PDB file of all heavy atoms in Angstrom:
ATOM      1  N   ASP B1448      13.253  -0.496 -17.141  1.00 97.00           N
ATOM      2  CA  ASP B1448      14.460   0.268 -17.125  1.00 97.00           C
ATOM      3  C   ASP B1448      14.344   1.710 -16.775  1.00 97.00           C
ATOM      4  O   ASP B1448      15.191   2.340 -16.084  1.00 97.00           O
ATOM      5  CB  ASP B1448      15.107   0.070 -18.615  1.00 97.00           C
ATOM      6  CG  ASP B1448      15.543  -1.423 -18.862  1.00 97.00           C
ATOM      7  OD1 ASP B1448      15.675  -2.099 -17.973  1.00 97.00           O
ATOM      8  OD2 ASP B1448      15.754  -1.672 -20.064  1.00 97.00           O
ATOM      9  N   THR B1449      13.178   2.287 -17.319  1.00 97.00           N
ATOM     10  CA  THR B1449      12.961   3.765 -17.066  1.00 97.00           C
ATOM     11  C   THR B1449      12.772   3.857 -15.532  1.00 97.00           C
ATOM     12  O   THR B1449      13.319   4.825 -14.931  1.00 97.00           O
ATOM     13  CB  THR B1449      11.817   4.186 -17.797  1.00 97.00           C
ATOM     14  OG1 THR B1449      12.034   3.868 -19.226  1.00 97.00           O
ATOM     15  CG2 THR B1449      11.652   5.708 -17.721  1.00 97.00           C
ATOM     16  N   TYR B1450      11.900   3.141 -14.956  1.00 97.00           N
ATOM     17  CA  TYR B1450      11.504   3.151 -13.569  1.00 97.00           C
ATOM     18  C   TYR B1450      12.748   3.093 -12.598  1.00 97.00           C
ATOM     19  O   TYR B1450      12.835   3.776 -11.527  1.00 97.00           O
ATOM     20  CB  TYR B1450      10.534   2.151 -13.220  1.00 97.00           C
ATOM     21  CG  TYR B1450       9.864   2.229 -11.892  1.00 97.00           C
ATOM     22  CD1 TYR B1450       8.686   2.959 -11.806  1.00 97.00           C
ATOM     23  CD2 TYR B1450      10.357   1.714 -10.708  1.00 97.00           C
ATOM     24  CE1 TYR B1450       8.032   3.150 -10.562  1.00 97.00           C
ATOM     25  CE2 TYR B1450       9.789   1.937  -9.471  1.00 97.00           C
ATOM     26  CZ  TYR B1450       8.557   2.574  -9.457  1.00 97.00           C
ATOM     27  OH  TYR B1450       7.968   2.691  -8.179  1.00 97.00           O
ATOM     28  N   THR B1451      13.690   2.245 -13.015  1.00 97.00           N
ATOM     29  CA  THR B1451      14.691   1.895 -11.986  1.00 97.00           C
ATOM     30  C   THR B1451      16.033   2.784 -12.251  1.00 97.00           C
ATOM     31  O   THR B1451      17.077   2.598 -11.602  1.00 97.00           O
ATOM     32  CB  THR B1451      15.133   0.440 -12.011  1.00 97.00           C
ATOM     33  OG1 THR B1451      15.331   0.099 -13.422  1.00 97.00           O
ATOM     34  CG2 THR B1451      14.038  -0.452 -11.481  1.00 97.00           C
ATOM     35  N   GLU B1452      15.902   3.670 -13.265  1.00 96.00           N
ATOM     36  CA  GLU B1452      17.063   4.417 -13.672  1.00 96.00           C
ATOM     37  C   GLU B1452      17.660   5.324 -12.452  1.00 96.00           C
ATOM     38  O   GLU B1452      18.728   5.539 -12.313  1.00 96.00           O
ATOM     39  CB  GLU B1452      16.751   5.450 -14.875  1.00 96.00           C
ATOM     40  CG  GLU B1452      17.809   5.576 -15.849  1.00 96.00           C
ATOM     41  CD  GLU B1452      17.194   6.212 -17.152  1.00 96.00           C
ATOM     42  OE1 GLU B1452      16.048   6.652 -17.204  1.00 96.00           O
ATOM     43  OE2 GLU B1452      18.042   6.558 -17.975  1.00 96.00           O
ATOM     44  N   PHE B1453      16.743   5.878 -11.650  1.00 97.00           N
ATOM     45  CA  PHE B1453      17.071   6.720 -10.612  1.00 97.00           C
ATOM     46  C   PHE B1453      17.974   6.031  -9.523  1.00 97.00           C
ATOM     47  O   PHE B1453      18.688   6.673  -8.847  1.00 97.00           O
ATOM     48  CB  PHE B1453      15.883   7.355  -9.974  1.00 97.00           C
ATOM     49  CG  PHE B1453      15.171   6.483  -8.869  1.00 97.00           C
ATOM     50  CD1 PHE B1453      15.431   6.813  -7.546  1.00 97.00           C
ATOM     51  CD2 PHE B1453      14.354   5.569  -9.276  1.00 97.00           C
ATOM     52  CE1 PHE B1453      14.824   5.980  -6.513  1.00 97.00           C
ATOM     53  CE2 PHE B1453      13.784   4.683  -8.303  1.00 97.00           C
ATOM     54  CZ  PHE B1453      13.889   4.896  -6.900  1.00 97.00           C
ATOM     55  N   LEU B1454      17.872   4.670  -9.529  1.00 97.00           N
ATOM     56  CA  LEU B1454      18.654   3.948  -8.507  1.00 97.00           C
ATOM     57  C   LEU B1454      20.183   4.011  -8.813  1.00 97.00           C
ATOM     58  O   LEU B1454      20.936   3.580  -7.990  1.00 97.00           O
ATOM     59  CB  LEU B1454      18.199   2.524  -8.506  1.00 97.00           C
ATOM     60  CG  LEU B1454      16.759   2.346  -7.849  1.00 97.00           C
ATOM     61  CD1 LEU B1454      16.189   0.968  -8.030  1.00 97.00           C
ATOM     62  CD2 LEU B1454      16.743   2.826  -6.354  1.00 97.00           C
ATOM     63  N   ASP B1455      20.531   4.373 -10.029  1.00 96.00           N
ATOM     64  CA  ASP B1455      21.970   4.590 -10.379  1.00 96.00           C
ATOM     65  C   ASP B1455      22.465   5.822  -9.546  1.00 96.00           C
ATOM     66  O   ASP B1455      23.726   5.838  -9.396  1.00 96.00           O
ATOM     67  CB  ASP B1455      22.130   4.805 -11.852  1.00 96.00           C
ATOM     68  CG  ASP B1455      21.750   3.483 -12.667  1.00 96.00           C
ATOM     69  OD1 ASP B1455      21.807   2.406 -11.974  1.00 96.00           O
ATOM     70  OD2 ASP B1455      21.458   3.602 -13.791  1.00 96.00           O
ATOM     71  N   ASP B1456      21.653   6.677  -9.197  1.00 97.00           N
ATOM     72  CA  ASP B1456      22.099   7.916  -8.540  1.00 97.00           C
ATOM     73  C   ASP B1456      21.645   7.890  -7.012  1.00 97.00           C
ATOM     74  O   ASP B1456      22.165   8.800  -6.256  1.00 97.00           O
ATOM     75  CB  ASP B1456      21.404   9.182  -9.220  1.00 97.00           C
ATOM     76  CG  ASP B1456      21.904   9.265 -10.618  1.00 97.00           C
ATOM     77  OD1 ASP B1456      22.952   8.890 -11.046  1.00 97.00           O
ATOM     78  OD2 ASP B1456      21.092   9.824 -11.490  1.00 97.00           O
ATOM     79  N   VAL B1457      20.614   7.187  -6.699  1.00 97.00           N
ATOM     80  CA  VAL B1457      20.121   7.165  -5.347  1.00 97.00           C
ATOM     81  C   VAL B1457      20.292   5.843  -4.689  1.00 97.00           C
ATOM     82  O   VAL B1457      19.612   4.879  -5.183  1.00 97.00           O
ATOM     83  CB  VAL B1457      18.551   7.553  -5.250  1.00 97.00           C
ATOM     84  CG1 VAL B1457      18.129   7.647  -3.891  1.00 97.00           C
ATOM     85  CG2 VAL B1457      18.395   8.955  -5.874  1.00 97.00           C
ATOM     86  N   SER B1458      21.104   5.658  -3.677  1.00 97.00           N
ATOM     87  CA  SER B1458      21.389   4.406  -3.091  1.00 97.00           C
ATOM     88  C   SER B1458      20.297   4.270  -1.974  1.00 97.00           C
ATOM     89  O   SER B1458      20.172   5.058  -1.132  1.00 97.00           O
ATOM     90  CB  SER B1458      22.803   4.370  -2.569  1.00 97.00           C
ATOM     91  OG  SER B1458      22.985   3.066  -1.930  1.00 97.00           O
ATOM     92  N   LEU B1459      19.660   2.983  -1.903  1.00 98.00           N
ATOM     93  CA  LEU B1459      18.755   2.809  -0.872  1.00 98.00           C
ATOM     94  C   LEU B1459      18.956   1.425  -0.332  1.00 98.00           C
ATOM     95  O   LEU B1459      19.439   0.422  -0.893  1.00 98.00           O
ATOM     96  CB  LEU B1459      17.314   2.640  -1.609  1.00 98.00           C
ATOM     97  CG  LEU B1459      16.814   3.955  -2.318  1.00 98.00           C
ATOM     98  CD1 LEU B1459      15.523   3.635  -3.058  1.00 98.00           C
ATOM     99  CD2 LEU B1459      16.634   5.009  -1.234  1.00 98.00           C
ATOM    100  N   ASP B1460      18.694   1.325   0.964  1.00 98.00           N
ATOM    101  CA  ASP B1460      18.749   0.016   1.695  1.00 98.00           C
ATOM    102  C   ASP B1460      17.361  -0.745   1.657  1.00 98.00           C
ATOM    103  O   ASP B1460      17.319  -2.040   1.737  1.00 98.00           O
ATOM    104  CB  ASP B1460      19.049   0.236   3.187  1.00 98.00           C
ATOM    105  CG  ASP B1460      20.461   0.868   3.342  1.00 98.00           C
ATOM    106  OD1 ASP B1460      21.441   0.304   2.731  1.00 98.00           O
ATOM    107  OD2 ASP B1460      20.655   1.934   3.993  1.00 98.00           O
ATOM    108  N   TYR B1461      16.349   0.001   1.613  1.00 98.00           N
ATOM    109  CA  TYR B1461      14.990  -0.617   1.660  1.00 98.00           C
ATOM    110  C   TYR B1461      14.028   0.290   0.934  1.00 98.00           C
ATOM    111  O   TYR B1461      14.127   1.498   0.761  1.00 98.00           O
ATOM    112  CB  TYR B1461      14.509  -0.924   3.064  1.00 98.00           C
ATOM    113  CG  TYR B1461      14.059   0.293   3.900  1.00 98.00           C
ATOM    114  CD1 TYR B1461      12.741   0.525   3.931  1.00 98.00           C
ATOM    115  CD2 TYR B1461      15.055   1.057   4.558  1.00 98.00           C
ATOM    116  CE1 TYR B1461      12.384   1.757   4.635  1.00 98.00           C
ATOM    117  CE2 TYR B1461      14.558   2.233   5.318  1.00 98.00           C
ATOM    118  CZ  TYR B1461      13.222   2.548   5.299  1.00 98.00           C
ATOM    119  OH  TYR B1461      12.858   3.636   5.993  1.00 98.00           O
ATOM    120  N   LEU B1462      12.884  -0.378   0.545  1.00 96.00           N
ATOM    121  CA  LEU B1462      11.765   0.399   0.013  1.00 96.00           C
ATOM    122  C   LEU B1462      10.589   0.039   0.848  1.00 96.00           C
ATOM    123  O   LEU B1462      10.312  -1.168   1.188  1.00 96.00           O
ATOM    124  CB  LEU B1462      11.606  -0.118  -1.511  1.00 96.00           C
ATOM    125  CG  LEU B1462      12.434   0.656  -2.550  1.00 96.00           C
ATOM    126  CD1 LEU B1462      12.336  -0.123  -3.852  1.00 96.00           C
ATOM    127  CD2 LEU B1462      11.970   1.995  -2.710  1.00 96.00           C
ATOM    128  N   ALA B1463       9.804   1.039   1.154  1.00 93.00           N
ATOM    129  CA  ALA B1463       8.667   0.914   1.917  1.00 93.00           C
ATOM    130  C   ALA B1463       7.521   0.599   0.961  1.00 93.00           C
ATOM    131  O   ALA B1463       7.472   1.206  -0.050  1.00 93.00           O
ATOM    132  CB  ALA B1463       8.375   2.153   2.758  1.00 93.00           C
ATOM    133  N   LEU B1464       6.588  -0.325   1.362  1.00 89.00           N
ATOM    134  CA  LEU B1464       5.444  -0.734   0.572  1.00 89.00           C
ATOM    135  C   LEU B1464       5.985  -1.250  -0.801  1.00 89.00           C
ATOM    136  O   LEU B1464       7.079  -1.602  -1.006  1.00 89.00           O
ATOM    137  CB  LEU B1464       4.519   0.434   0.410  1.00 89.00           C
ATOM    138  CG  LEU B1464       4.193   1.137   1.724  1.00 89.00           C
ATOM    139  CD1 LEU B1464       3.047   2.122   1.497  1.00 89.00           C
ATOM    140  CD2 LEU B1464       3.668   0.097   2.664  1.00 89.00           C
ATOM    141  N   MET B1465       5.004  -1.233  -1.782  1.00 89.00           N
ATOM    142  CA  MET B1465       5.362  -1.989  -3.011  1.00 89.00           C
ATOM    143  C   MET B1465       5.583  -0.994  -4.110  1.00 89.00           C
ATOM    144  O   MET B1465       4.919  -0.089  -4.433  1.00 89.00           O
ATOM    145  CB  MET B1465       4.128  -2.753  -3.544  1.00 89.00           C
ATOM    146  CG  MET B1465       3.774  -3.898  -2.670  1.00 89.00           C
ATOM    147  SD  MET B1465       4.834  -5.352  -2.899  1.00 89.00           S
ATOM    148  CE  MET B1465       4.309  -5.825  -4.510  1.00 89.00           C
ATOM    149  N   PRO B1466       6.913  -1.071  -4.617  1.00 93.00           N
ATOM    150  CA  PRO B1466       7.195  -0.187  -5.697  1.00 93.00           C
ATOM    151  C   PRO B1466       6.743  -0.737  -7.036  1.00 93.00           C
ATOM    152  O   PRO B1466       6.122  -1.807  -7.035  1.00 93.00           O
ATOM    153  CB  PRO B1466       8.793  -0.349  -5.732  1.00 93.00           C
ATOM    154  CG  PRO B1466       9.113  -1.700  -5.288  1.00 93.00           C
ATOM    155  CD  PRO B1466       8.030  -2.016  -4.306  1.00 93.00           C
ATOM    156  N   GLY B1467       6.693   0.166  -8.060  1.00 96.00           N
ATOM    157  CA  GLY B1467       6.213  -0.162  -9.300  1.00 96.00           C
ATOM    158  C   GLY B1467       4.906   0.499  -9.689  1.00 96.00           C
ATOM    159  O   GLY B1467       4.546   1.425  -9.049  1.00 96.00           O
ATOM    160  N   VAL B1468       4.360   0.015 -10.828  1.00 97.00           N
ATOM    161  CA  VAL B1468       3.107   0.671 -11.313  1.00 97.00           C
ATOM    162  C   VAL B1468       2.079   0.340 -10.334  1.00 97.00           C
ATOM    163  O   VAL B1468       1.716  -0.891 -10.124  1.00 97.00           O
ATOM    164  CB  VAL B1468       2.776   0.130 -12.823  1.00 97.00           C
ATOM    165  CG1 VAL B1468       1.543   0.803 -13.292  1.00 97.00           C
ATOM    166  CG2 VAL B1468       4.026   0.352 -13.688  1.00 97.00           C
ATOM    167  N   SER B1469       1.354   1.335  -9.855  1.00 95.00           N
ATOM    168  CA  SER B1469       0.390   1.118  -8.789  1.00 95.00           C
ATOM    169  C   SER B1469      -0.906   0.468  -9.158  1.00 95.00           C
ATOM    170  O   SER B1469      -1.545  -0.233  -8.369  1.00 95.00           O
ATOM    171  CB  SER B1469       0.255   2.432  -7.905  1.00 95.00           C
ATOM    172  OG  SER B1469      -0.040   3.517  -8.834  1.00 95.00           O
ATOM    173  N   HIS B1470      -1.420   0.761 -10.324  1.00 96.00           N
ATOM    174  CA  HIS B1470      -2.753   0.263 -10.692  1.00 96.00           C
ATOM    175  C   HIS B1470      -2.632  -0.086 -12.242  1.00 96.00           C
ATOM    176  O   HIS B1470      -2.149   0.651 -13.060  1.00 96.00           O
ATOM    177  CB  HIS B1470      -3.753   1.178 -10.436  1.00 96.00           C
ATOM    178  CG  HIS B1470      -4.003   1.416  -9.039  1.00 96.00           C
ATOM    179  ND1 HIS B1470      -4.734   0.534  -8.211  1.00 96.00           N
ATOM    180  CD2 HIS B1470      -3.614   2.461  -8.194  1.00 96.00           C
ATOM    181  CE1 HIS B1470      -4.721   1.092  -6.962  1.00 96.00           C
ATOM    182  NE2 HIS B1470      -4.052   2.179  -6.976  1.00 96.00           N
ATOM    183  N   PRO B1471      -3.300  -1.226 -12.684  1.00 97.00           N
ATOM    184  CA  PRO B1471      -3.486  -1.566 -14.029  1.00 97.00           C
ATOM    185  C   PRO B1471      -4.533  -0.779 -14.701  1.00 97.00           C
ATOM    186  O   PRO B1471      -5.714  -1.291 -14.985  1.00 97.00           O
ATOM    187  CB  PRO B1471      -3.797  -3.086 -14.017  1.00 97.00           C
ATOM    188  CG  PRO B1471      -4.456  -3.242 -12.727  1.00 97.00           C
ATOM    189  CD  PRO B1471      -3.900  -2.278 -11.726  1.00 97.00           C
ATOM    190  N   VAL B1472      -4.280   0.481 -14.937  1.00 97.00           N
ATOM    191  CA  VAL B1472      -5.334   1.441 -15.373  1.00 97.00           C
ATOM    192  C   VAL B1472      -6.124   0.822 -16.664  1.00 97.00           C
ATOM    193  O   VAL B1472      -7.301   0.905 -16.658  1.00 97.00           O
ATOM    194  CB  VAL B1472      -4.727   2.730 -15.682  1.00 97.00           C
ATOM    195  CG1 VAL B1472      -5.757   3.714 -16.319  1.00 97.00           C
ATOM    196  CG2 VAL B1472      -4.109   3.344 -14.499  1.00 97.00           C
ATOM    197  N   LYS B1473      -5.419   0.389 -17.587  1.00 97.00           N
ATOM    198  CA  LYS B1473      -6.015  -0.037 -18.823  1.00 97.00           C
ATOM    199  C   LYS B1473      -6.896  -1.174 -18.686  1.00 97.00           C
ATOM    200  O   LYS B1473      -7.760  -1.471 -19.452  1.00 97.00           O
ATOM    201  CB  LYS B1473      -4.871  -0.187 -19.934  1.00 97.00           C
ATOM    202  CG  LYS B1473      -4.380   1.197 -20.519  1.00 97.00           C
ATOM    203  CD  LYS B1473      -3.632   0.854 -21.781  1.00 97.00           C
ATOM    204  CE  LYS B1473      -3.274   2.152 -22.474  1.00 97.00           C
ATOM    205  NZ  LYS B1473      -2.583   1.949 -23.738  1.00 97.00           N
ATOM    206  N   VAL B1474      -6.406  -2.102 -17.749  1.00 98.00           N
ATOM    207  CA  VAL B1474      -7.045  -3.316 -17.447  1.00 98.00           C
ATOM    208  C   VAL B1474      -8.553  -2.988 -16.941  1.00 98.00           C
ATOM    209  O   VAL B1474      -9.610  -3.524 -17.483  1.00 98.00           O
ATOM    210  CB  VAL B1474      -6.466  -4.164 -16.410  1.00 98.00           C
ATOM    211  CG1 VAL B1474      -7.315  -5.335 -15.954  1.00 98.00           C
ATOM    212  CG2 VAL B1474      -5.080  -4.623 -16.942  1.00 98.00           C
ATOM    213  N   TYR B1475      -8.609  -2.066 -16.065  1.00 97.00           N
ATOM    214  CA  TYR B1475      -9.843  -1.684 -15.468  1.00 97.00           C
ATOM    215  C   TYR B1475     -10.716  -0.972 -16.513  1.00 97.00           C
ATOM    216  O   TYR B1475     -11.959  -1.246 -16.564  1.00 97.00           O
ATOM    217  CB  TYR B1475      -9.599  -0.632 -14.237  1.00 97.00           C
ATOM    218  CG  TYR B1475      -8.954  -1.081 -13.096  1.00 97.00           C
ATOM    219  CD1 TYR B1475      -8.044  -0.301 -12.333  1.00 97.00           C
ATOM    220  CD2 TYR B1475      -9.032  -2.464 -12.686  1.00 97.00           C
ATOM    221  CE1 TYR B1475      -7.395  -0.667 -11.175  1.00 97.00           C
ATOM    222  CE2 TYR B1475      -8.372  -2.898 -11.493  1.00 97.00           C
ATOM    223  CZ  TYR B1475      -7.557  -2.076 -10.843  1.00 97.00           C
ATOM    224  OH  TYR B1475      -6.951  -2.547  -9.712  1.00 97.00           O
ATOM    225  N   GLN B1476     -10.016  -0.199 -17.300  1.00 96.00           N
ATOM    226  CA  GLN B1476     -10.865   0.532 -18.419  1.00 96.00           C
ATOM    227  C   GLN B1476     -11.464  -0.480 -19.366  1.00 96.00           C
ATOM    228  O   GLN B1476     -12.625  -0.292 -19.929  1.00 96.00           O
ATOM    229  CB  GLN B1476      -9.953   1.525 -19.070  1.00 96.00           C
ATOM    230  CG  GLN B1476      -9.700   2.687 -18.231  1.00 96.00           C
ATOM    231  CD  GLN B1476      -8.627   3.703 -18.749  1.00 96.00           C
ATOM    232  OE1 GLN B1476      -8.019   3.454 -19.778  1.00 96.00           O
ATOM    233  NE2 GLN B1476      -8.452   4.804 -18.092  1.00 96.00           N
ATOM    234  N   LYS B1477     -10.747  -1.565 -19.697  1.00 97.00           N
ATOM    235  CA  LYS B1477     -11.334  -2.555 -20.632  1.00 97.00           C
ATOM    236  C   LYS B1477     -12.449  -3.284 -20.101  1.00 97.00           C
ATOM    237  O   LYS B1477     -13.293  -3.915 -20.777  1.00 97.00           O
ATOM    238  CB  LYS B1477     -10.218  -3.672 -20.926  1.00 97.00           C
ATOM    239  CG  LYS B1477      -8.978  -3.073 -21.689  1.00 97.00           C
ATOM    240  CD  LYS B1477      -9.292  -2.975 -23.238  1.00 97.00           C
ATOM    241  CE  LYS B1477      -8.036  -2.479 -23.984  1.00 97.00           C
ATOM    242  NZ  LYS B1477      -8.376  -2.063 -25.257  1.00 97.00           N
ATOM    243  N   LEU B1478     -12.543  -3.195 -18.711  1.00 97.00           N
ATOM    244  CA  LEU B1478     -13.719  -3.899 -18.098  1.00 97.00           C
ATOM    245  C   LEU B1478     -14.741  -2.919 -17.671  1.00 97.00           C
ATOM    246  O   LEU B1478     -15.730  -3.186 -16.785  1.00 97.00           O
ATOM    247  CB  LEU B1478     -13.201  -4.615 -16.799  1.00 97.00           C
ATOM    248  CG  LEU B1478     -12.124  -5.770 -17.035  1.00 97.00           C
ATOM    249  CD1 LEU B1478     -11.600  -6.378 -15.804  1.00 97.00           C
ATOM    250  CD2 LEU B1478     -12.727  -6.877 -17.848  1.00 97.00           C
ATOM    251  N   GLY B1479     -14.713  -1.705 -18.231  1.00 95.00           N
ATOM    252  CA  GLY B1479     -15.733  -0.747 -17.998  1.00 95.00           C
ATOM    253  C   GLY B1479     -15.664   0.099 -16.817  1.00 95.00           C
ATOM    254  O   GLY B1479     -16.570   0.721 -16.431  1.00 95.00           O
ATOM    255  N   ASN B1480     -14.346   0.073 -16.152  1.00 95.00           N
ATOM    256  CA  ASN B1480     -14.196   0.889 -15.059  1.00 95.00           C
ATOM    257  C   ASN B1480     -13.353   1.982 -15.284  1.00 95.00           C
ATOM    258  O   ASN B1480     -12.105   1.735 -15.579  1.00 95.00           O
ATOM    259  CB  ASN B1480     -13.713  -0.011 -13.863  1.00 95.00           C
ATOM    260  CG  ASN B1480     -13.503   0.722 -12.561  1.00 95.00           C
ATOM    261  OD1 ASN B1480     -12.815   1.700 -12.563  1.00 95.00           O
ATOM    262  ND2 ASN B1480     -14.146   0.294 -11.549  1.00 95.00           N
ATOM    263  N   ASN B1481     -13.745   3.225 -15.148  1.00 94.00           N
ATOM    264  CA  ASN B1481     -12.789   4.340 -15.379  1.00 94.00           C
ATOM    265  C   ASN B1481     -12.457   5.195 -14.164  1.00 94.00           C
ATOM    266  O   ASN B1481     -12.128   6.395 -14.282  1.00 94.00           O
ATOM    267  CB  ASN B1481     -13.639   5.312 -16.417  1.00 94.00           C
ATOM    268  CG  ASN B1481     -13.893   4.563 -17.684  1.00 94.00           C
ATOM    269  OD1 ASN B1481     -12.894   4.107 -18.316  1.00 94.00           O
ATOM    270  ND2 ASN B1481     -15.088   4.500 -18.185  1.00 94.00           N
TER     271      ASN B1481
END
Side-chain angles (χ1 to χ4, degrees):
Chain B
D1448 290 345
T1449 306
Y1450 190 90
T1451 51
E1452 220 171 356
F1453 83 103
L1454 293 170
D1455 294 335
D1456 299 331
V1457 179
S1458 176
L1459 298 173
D1460 296 310
Y1461 73 95
L1462 276 165
L1464 309 184
M1465 292 287 287
V1468 181
S1469 47
H1470 294 281
V1472 176
K1473 285 195 171 182
V1474 173
Y1475 296 149
Q1476 289 171 352
K1477 294 282 183 194
L1478 298 174
N1480 180 303
N1481 296 307

